[in-house]
Amino acid sequence: MGDRFDAVVVGAGVIGLTTALRLQQAGARVAVLTAEPPGETTSSVAAAVWYPTRTRFEPRVLDWATRTYDEFARQAVDGVPGVVMRRTRMLLRGESHDVPWWAAAIPRLRTLRGDEVQGPFTGGWAFTVPTVEMAHYLPWLQQTFSTAGGTLIRRRIDALEQAGVWAPAVVNASGLAARALCGDTEVHPARGQLVLVANPGLHTSLRDEDNADGHTYVHPRSTDIVLGGTFEVGEWDTTPSPATAAAILRRCTDLLPELAGAPVLGHQVGLRPWRDGGVRLEADPHPHGRIRRLVHNYGHGGAGVTLAWGCADAATALVAWAVRPG
Ligand SMILES: Cc1cc2nc3c(=O)[nH]c(=O)nc-3n(C[C@H](O)[C@H](O)[C@H](O)COP(=O)(O)OP(=O)(O)OC[C@H]3O[C@@H](n4cnc5c(N)ncnc54)[C@H](O)[C@@H]3O)c2cc1C
């Protein structure tokens, strides 16, 4: 099996699939190994708006976020399924309205005028960012990978070294499972619950992250609206809580009264792969077993979609030796 592929990517979420595509584009023969089909990953639940939620500034993070924004912006122009650019308003409740660090990653961020802000809000920002409908985008990523000759293998492994059977280079894009697969106790679930409602004709995303009752967002999509949310670090329960859903609906309706009475279409819960020290993206100095090159790319927390393409570029550069010439 080992010589059929140059690299195997463990994980078929947004991090694994984007990395697999970049490795292919660099000339490698690639397999993706996954316990679940892409449509059942955490990535499939994401609201999937470009926004570096709870991500600290680091030069490399700004670089990943910038590259990802640029890639999605190109894909939106090209009509890639599920990718659209959406106007967004972030409403602020505090005293500081300083431009955030991530504004450097996007072409324009405008501070809202006094007459654009009411109620409990003291200010805000307007900007346009990619929104990705994962129900369309993950199948497109998978299809693009397969069409270019990639192989998707459905298999759950118990240890990373098992992946070395398929290829000498392994990328660990296993998200939350990295906690068990490489014993990284910095990785925890950050539970997120969403309510999906019918779209009464809204087009602009709204965010109220300073809400003391819980961070609040309204993200219109083509056929529904994603209402959120929660960010519960250490919580593993994937059953939607009716009380949490009611609280999300109440906060979102307070924010945007047009939502009152919108039919509820569904409830979703996902476990974000939170990592205390931020994303782990590095070559492992001690690859095990038959693996000759092991690159970790996990721990993206609430920003996996926002950082995916930039991280895929960086992970591909780290696997570089495995890439076949020509
Ligand atoms: C409610 C919610 C809203 C979100 N909103 C946003 C947002 O607006 N913007 C944003 O950027 N991000 C958002 N996120 C975060 C985003 O979803 C994650 O950061 C991202 O999906 C992580 O992707 P991943 O590929 O690392 O992990 P996953 O999607 O979890 O994929 C992990 C992969 O590893 C595989 N795997 C695991 N264990 C094994 C094993 N033992 N053997 C083989 N394969 C294995 C799995 O089967 C899967 O294929 C949100 C998340 C949630 C839950």
Side-chain angles (χ1 to χ4, degrees):
M1 274 193 286
D3 60 353
R4 277 181 57 203
F5 305 108
D6 300 308
V8 58
V9 177
V10 180
V14 70
I15 299 300
L17 289 176
T18 52
T19 303
L21 280 177
R22 282 294 192 249
L23 284 165
Q24 279 184 324
Q25 288 161 5
R29 298 168 304 177
V30 184
V32 168
L33 191 67
T34 181
E36 302 144 319
E40 294 175 17
T41 58
T42 298
S43 299
S44 72
V45 177
V49 174
W50 186 99
Y51 188 84
T53 299
R54 303 200 190 199
T55 305
R56 283 193 307 268
F57 171 72
E58 283 177 60
R60 64 177 196 155
V61 174
L62 178 59
D63 179 55
W64 299 335
T66 307
R67 285 168 180 268
T68 307
Y69 183 101
D70 292 346
E71 180 65 33
F72 282 136
R74 255 193 309 274
Q75 292 184 359
V77 170
D78 290 349
V80 167
V83 186
V84 293
M85 301 302 287
R86 192 166 298 287
R87 276 205 291 264
T88 305
R89 286 194 169 205
M90 163 67 108
L91 299 170
L92 304 170
R93 293 170 183 254
E95 281 176 17
S96 168
H97 305 155
D98 292 350
V99 168
W101 63 265
W102 48 261
I106 67 177
R108 186 159 184 257
L109 179 139
R110 179 175 72 79
T111 300
L112 295 180
R113 297 183 309 269
D115 63 323
E116 294 177 288
V117 182
Q118 296 140 18
F121 302 108
T122 55
W125 307 312
F127 49 92
T128 296
V129 290
T131 300
V132 183
E133 297 196 22
M134 297 306 260
H136 303 297
Y137 193 63
L138 288 174
W140 178 82
L141 287 176
Q142 187 182 343
Q143 185 61 48
T144 307
F145 172 68
S146 301
T147 304
T151 302
L152 190 105
I153 302 166
R154 283 283 304 283
R155 190 78 55 92
R156 181 178 295 278
I157 54 172
D158 306 315
L160 278 178
E161 48 263 41
Q162 292 169 7
V165 170
W166 280 275
V170 174
V171 178
N172 173 19
S174 61
L176 182 57
R179 184 180 168 87
L181 282 179
C182 46
D184 187 341
T185 53
E186 285 194 48
V187 177
H188 311 277
R191 181 181 185 276
Q193 182 164 336
L194 304 172
V195 180
L196 307 180
V197 298
N199 190 341
L202 302 176
H203 298 288
T204 301
S205 272
L206 263 189
R207 290 180 169 275
D208 172 16
E209 303 269 324
D210 300 337
N211 192 327
D213 293 333
H215 74 274
T216 302
Y217 52 78
V218 176
H219 295 311
R221 302 195 292 196
S222 53
T223 56
D224 60 7
I225 305 186
V226 180
L227 306 182
T230 68
F231 202 101
E232 303 159 76
V233 177
E235 179 57 68
W236 288 89
D237 187 357
T238 54
T239 308
S241 149
T244 302
I248 290 172
L249 276 166
R250 193 167 50 246
R251 293 202 304 275
C252 289
T253 307
D254 286 350
L255 184 63
L256 207 60
E258 295 95 306
L259 290 170
V264 173
L265 303 178
H267 301 271
Q268 286 185 319
V269 173
L271 303 179
R272 303 173 181 92
W274 175 257
R275 186 166 182 272
D276 297 333
V279 175
R280 184 175 184 201
L281 207 174
E282 61 184 6
D284 196 314
H286 306 295
H288 308 290
R290 296 166 65 166
I291 302 176
R292 288 170 52 213
R293 183 73 159 169
L294 173 59
V295 172
H296 298 287
N297 187 7
Y298 67 82
H300 299 77
V305 178
T306 306
L307 304 176
W309 285 105
C311 290
D313 287 338
T316 299
L318 289 171
V319 180
W321 71 270
V323 171
R324 294 155 65 78

